[in-house]
Every structure is written in C-alpha cells, then in structure tokens.
Amino acid sequence: MIGLISATAAGAAARDRLAAAWPDRTRVYEGPVGDAVRAAFAQCEQLVCFLATGAVVRLVAPLLSGKTEDPGVVCVDEGGRFAVSLLGGHAGGANELASEVGELLGAEPVVTTATDAVDLPGLDTFGLPVEGDVAGVSRALLDGEAVALRAEVAWPLPPLPVAEEGPYTIRLTDRLVEAAEREVVLRPPTLTVGVGASKGAPVEEVLGLVRDALRGAGLSLASVAELATVDAKAEEAGIVEAAQRLGVPLVTYSAGELAAVDVPNPSDAPLAAVGTPSVAEAAALVGGGELLVPKRKSAASPAMATCAVVRRPGRGRLAVVGLGPGARDLLTPRAQAELRRASVLVGLDQYVDQIRDLLRPGTRILESGLGAEEERARTAVEEARKGRAVALIGSGDAGVYAMASPALAEASDDIDVIGVPGVTAALAAGAILGAPLGHDHVSISLSDLHTPWEVIERRVRAAAEADIVVTFYNPRSRGRDWQLPKALGILAEHRTQETPVGVVRNASRPDESSRLTTLGALDPATVDMMTVVTVGNTATRDIAGRMVTPRGYRWQSAQEGSE
C-alpha cells in the first residue's frame, strides 16, 4: 500500500489525482502531517509526501530502522514539478515509484542513487539474496574498475560491465560460502527440495532434515526455490509450515506424475502409502535438473520425514523485440524495458545502431549484416540456452516478416520466450495515409528470395478476387524490378484504374515521404525497398487527400444515399 500525505490545497489536489488513478494501491492519510507520516510509515510499503524534502527528512528521521525495513519515500514539491526519490530507492522501490508518479502527474522524476544515475542496475535490485561488500563492489563498477563475474550456476542476470579478472568479484552461486573481501555473493533460487513425511510429522523434524541436508552438501538455504511433494501431502501440517517458515512455495504433483520419474532410490513404502515408489526424489526431479542430495531420512526414530535436493539452473530468457518503424516515440515502453534487461543483444547492424543508446553498460552486442537472419536466430537461441537474458531485435513487429519466426523455429521448451509487439510498417504507413486499413486487409511481401513467385502470385490473385486492401512489403529493389508491376497488374484485373494507392517511404523516419496516387498512375520505378505500397479495395476513396476504406459497405452505401 502507498500512503499519501499532503499539507496544502495544491498538494491535496495532486494527492487526489494519485488516489483516483490508483484506488487499490493508495491510502490517503488526513490530519496533522506529523501524525499522518508516522502512521503511514508504520502501515505502508511506500509513501508519497506532497511536502518539502526538508520537512519529510525531519519527520521520518526518528522512524528509520534500516535499509531493508524502511518503506520507500517519494516527495513531490508544491508546484508538482519534481518527484524525488528520497528514501529506499532500491529496497523500498522509491526510484521506480518516482518514475510512476512523475509520469502520472507530469513531474520530472529525480533519482540520485549512484547506480541509477549512470544506468547501472543495483546489485540489490536483482531480486536475489545478496551478501558481502555491496557498497565496495558497486563503487568499483561506478568507477570503472575491473569487476569479475564468477557464475557457478546459470542465471539470466541483467547486463553488467564485468571483466574476466579483477580485484573485485560478483559471485553467483547456490553454494554455502561466505563472501570474501571485495566480493558480493548473489544466491539465485536454483534448488528444489523434494520432501516426504509420515502423517503428523512435526515441522521441526522436516525443517531440521532440510537444513541438515543442504548444509551437508554445502548448499545455501537462501537458494531454495520451492519445496515439492505429492498431492496426498498437500495439507500435511509439517510440510506446509516448513515451506511457510522458509518463505518458499509448496508445489505438489500427482502420484502418477511422480511414479513416471526415474529415481535412484525407489521404495515400496511410499508406493503402498500414496501410490508412487518415490516422493522426495521424484518430486525434486519431476522438473528435471541435477540430483545433488539423494533421498535421506530424518535423524528421528522412527524417521518421519525424507528429503532430496535437485539443482535446476535458471532458464534462459529470449525476448523477441519489435522496434517499430523507426521513430523513437513509436518504440514501446515494453520494448525499451526488454532492451535494458537483456545482457545479450542480437540483431541486424543497422537496427542495433538505431537503439544502441538505450542499452545498459555491459550489454554484449552480437550484430551482423543483411542476409544472416537464420544465423542471428540460432545465435540468440544458443545464448538463451546458456542461461542468459537475450534480446533479439527486428524492425516493425518482430513477428511480421521479421525475426520471431526463425527464432521460434529454433527454440524448444528449455528456454522462456517473450514476444514484444511493435508498430508495423503497414500500420505506420496507414496512419500517414489516413485510414486505408479500415476494413479487411492483407500484407504480402513481394520478395521471392525465400518464397517462390508462384506462391506469391497465387496470394495476390486471392486478395484481388476477394476485394481486400493489400499492403505490399519489399515491393521493388534493383535486382527485383518486375514483381511490383506484375502484382499491380493482377489487382487491376479486379479494380479500376482510379483505385487509390498510398506510397510511403521510410515511414516515421526523418526522411519520411508519402503520396496518394491511383492504380493507373503509380510508376513502379519510384518505389524501392524502403517503401510500403498500400492498394485500396473497390470501396476505398480519396477523401480530402486522405486514403479511406470504410468500415463496412453498408456504411458507405448509407453515406452515398444521403448525398
């Protein structure tokens, strides 16, 4: 919950705007400001104070407990010009909240956290338990000193400007180790603990077994991702409370699912009790991984609990990102976020140049020239399979004549794939021309490098006969100068010479140009690969210099009848 506190009429007006926009996230605190701040500080995860920063500093100073306990605090000035992240920038989420408040109120977010100021992710913002010299290693990153990354397990970290060797170290491990001098230890949740228990097994016995098993194998309790067991034990109090105390989810599987898992130590006892020859090992192994601790029993007599531990390295993450038609303001916020999250960027060199300034320091760039689409797709998938966070970029929408298809043809279910939509060239051109895509429409690429012309021609004829608006991609190049005239000729068999045709070159880019012509007047020699050609259907009209296709023929008939 976000507590909202104000002292003046102007502050109350801005406060109420936030409350109206975020009704489920906010709570307004009325009354004397000091009492309101104290109450919100105790009850909320974050505060937005419409007060001077000095006043807020004096009010919260006696309330501070520690970096990880205090709420995030954002201050908004009387004029609503700035949203200042004052306290808990990382741990309290104030930096992100300042950006959200700024966007909603039209204020400029002010973030002074050193790593954010130079666009480096804070080591305490990865969502992983962190130990060691966080301040020292962060300072080394800020100062450009060599910081080595020792990744003992795979995990899709964000980009970091790390070196092969250096006096400072970031260690990514699930091992039970202490951070050395000038070292930060990050503990990813790579461990799954399978547990079995007899009815009434005490939580202390289950917890003690889990802790002993991890300690004996040299593994960190902080890297446990989940406890797993059989459905029949989903409400077993000792197991449920053990998961709660560890702060991890309890995952359950049916006896049939567990019985299908090949385990090294099956037993008749669980088979008779719950219908599977293994609970602990099978529950840990059902999602794959490396068995680090085979089934072991608790030390009690009789033993009432069993456990096994499996390591599942982090799944690689492949974001297939559409960059839009070229204009920066048509690049979506989601696309920008994925570009900043990726530690590896794969793309066509000219597209990389388009967004290079958005990448965080440490992003590894794998770029190549025209004609290497399949190679780029393979590279992106291979990098993701190594447990990395990868962004594969394409123009427009990555799923439209771009990189999504070849990438997904290479990818299997061993990585996570995220599609990030983008504004297509057809949409950008349509917005420039007017509303040519107001009814059914189709996009057809005239490039026969990967598709036989016979197939392309059959599609053009189908669109012509169906009276569908057609947008031609890749219409003409120096080596392919006959395909566009041929396609236009096919359409002319079913549409008049006066049919509107929109021609847009470099849509949304600085050298954008557009014109509205007709099917009979269009000169194909004026078209190149940077051009999108949109041919209307029999209902499309030139209205006040804009290309318009009615939403339906009935609507058009009604309009014509009223004239």
Side-chain angles (χ1 to χ4, degrees):
M1 187 63 65
I2 303 171
L4 305 180
I5 302 103
S6 63
T8 67
R15 175 202 69 191
D16 292 344
R17 287 176 61 191
L18 282 189
W22 300 336
D24 298 328
R25 297 177 61 190
T26 57
R27 179 187 303 164
V28 173
Y29 285 79
E30 303 279 8
V33 169
D35 294 342
V37 168
R38 284 188 288 273
F41 201 91
Q43 298 169 2
C44 298
E45 292 82 19
Q46 296 173 320
L47 281 70
V48 179
C49 299
F50 296 87
L51 305 165
T53 54
V56 177
V57 167
R58 285 189 290 272
L59 288 169
V60 304
L63 311 175
L64 300 180
S65 297
K67 184 176 182 179
T68 58
E69 294 85 17
D70 296 330
V73 178
V74 171
C75 292
V76 179
D77 67 290
E78 182 75 3
R81 298 169 301 166
F82 304 104
V84 182
S85 173
L86 184 69
L87 178 70
H90 285 165
N95 291 350
E96 184 177 348
L97 179 60
S99 296
E100 289 185 86
V101 170
E103 183 176 355
L104 186 60
L105 299 181
E108 181 179 349
V110 179
V111 175
T112 59
T113 312
T115 49
D116 294 88
V118 296
D119 209 20
L120 285 174
L123 297 175
D124 55 350
T125 65
F126 296 168
L128 305 178
V130 57
E131 305 166 12
D133 188 10
V134 176
V137 175
S138 297
R139 188 168 53 250
L141 288 169
L142 291 168
D143 292 342
E145 297 190 52
V147 178
L149 175 63
R150 292 177 55 192
E152 298 175 8
V153 291
W155 198 260
L157 291 177
L160 288 166
V162 292
E164 293 288 335
E165 300 290 339
Y168 295 86
T169 305
I170 299 171
R171 186 174 181 183
L172 185 69
T173 183
D174 55 16
R175 308 295 302 179
L176 186 60
V177 297
E178 291 188 8
E181 186 179 359
R182 296 183 171 184
E183 182 178 66
V184 163
V185 175
L186 297 173
R187 301 195 183 280
T190 56
L191 304 177
T192 293
V193 180
V195 290
S198 302
K199 184 175 178 59
V203 63
E204 289 78 9
E205 183 173 343
V206 177
L207 270 178
L209 173 61
V210 171
R211 288 170 174 154
D212 288 346
L214 291 167
R215 189 182 305 111
L219 299 170
S220 172
L221 192 66
S223 284
V224 174
E226 61 187 21
L227 295 191
T229 191
V230 66
D231 282 350
K233 297 295 179 179
E235 297 182 3
E236 184 64 46
I239 296 177
V240 172
E241 189 173 343
Q244 291 173 345
R245 291 197 195 178
L246 292 172
V248 299
L250 176 63
V251 180
T252 63
Y253 300 96
S254 69
E257 288 177 290
L258 298 187
V261 179
D262 186 24
V263 298
N265 300 292
S267 172
D268 292 335
L271 180 62
V274 295
T276 172
S278 171
V279 173
E281 286 182 341
L285 283 167
V286 69
E290 176 188 5
L291 184 63
L292 302 180
V293 179
K295 182 182 75 174
R296 57 178 292 175
K297 298 181 179 180
S298 54
S301 183
M304 298 184 73
T306 60
C307 83
V309 182
V310 164
R311 174 185 289 143
R312 297 181 193 168
R315 287 168 63 89
R317 189 176 191 279
L318 174 61
V320 188
V321 180
L323 300 181
R328 179 57 58 86
D329 60 355
L330 292 181
L331 176 66
T332 67
R334 186 182 298 182
Q336 294 191 47
E338 290 295 346
L339 295 175
R340 292 168 55 77
R341 178 174 180 167
S343 62
V344 181
L345 181 86
V346 183
L348 180 67
D349 47 14
Q350 65 190 57
Y351 297 153
V352 172
D353 290 340
Q354 185 177 320
I355 47 83
R356 197 182 297 270
D357 63 301
L358 296 177
L359 305 178
R360 275 181 156 160
T363 304
R364 186 158 59 96
I365 299 173
L366 304 176
E367 54 188 314
S368 53
L370 287 167
E373 289 83 1
E374 293 181 356
E375 178 186 344
R376 284 195 291 275
R378 282 193 296 270
T379 297
V381 171
E382 288 169 2
E383 291 291 326
R385 283 184 175 140
K386 295 174 183 176
R388 295 173 179 143
V390 182
L392 176 63
I393 59 174
S395 67
D397 183 282
V400 179
Y401 303 123
M403 295 304 301
S405 294
L408 269 61
E410 292 285 339
S412 50
D413 62 0
D414 56 347
I415 62 173
D416 295 325
V417 178
I418 298 91
V420 182
V423 177
T424 68
L427 295 178
I432 294 164
L433 294 169
L437 309 182
H439 205 286
D440 296 337
H441 54 274
V442 63
S443 295
I444 299 177
S445 171
L446 295 183
S447 172
D448 55 0
L449 294 178
H450 300 289
T451 305
W453 174 253
E454 293 76 13
V455 174
I456 296 172
E457 182 174 334
R458 186 166 67 247
R459 293 170 179 170
V460 175
R461 289 191 181 280
E465 292 171 1
D467 197 26
I468 294 175
V469 175
V470 182
T471 297
F472 288 124
Y473 280 68
N474 306 313
R476 185 177 182 275
S477 67
R478 281 177 292 184
R480 295 185 300 100
D481 59 1
W482 59 267
Q483 288 89 341
L484 179 59
K486 178 67 173 177
L488 294 175
I490 294 171
L491 292 178
E493 296 173 9
H494 300 269
R495 301 174 196 187
T496 69
Q497 294 293 293
E498 288 71 38
T499 300
V501 175
V503 181
V504 181
R505 188 178 190 278
N506 284 330
S508 86
R509 296 175 184 268
D511 56 346
E512 169 190 299
S513 64
S514 65
R515 67 185 188 278
L516 186 56
T517 182
T518 64
L519 188 57
L522 175 62
D523 180 4
T526 62
V527 173
D528 61 13
M529 284 288 287
M530 307 304 294
T531 305
V532 172
V533 177
T534 300
V535 182
N537 64 14
T538 57
T540 305
R541 296 291 182 266
D542 177 344
I543 302 176
R546 301 181 185 95
M547 187 175 178
V548 180
T549 301
R551 289 181 59 187
Y553 292 112
R554 291 180 181 176
W555 173 82
Q556 183 197 19
S557 299
Q559 289 289 103
E560 291 176 346
S562 64
E563 292 176 356

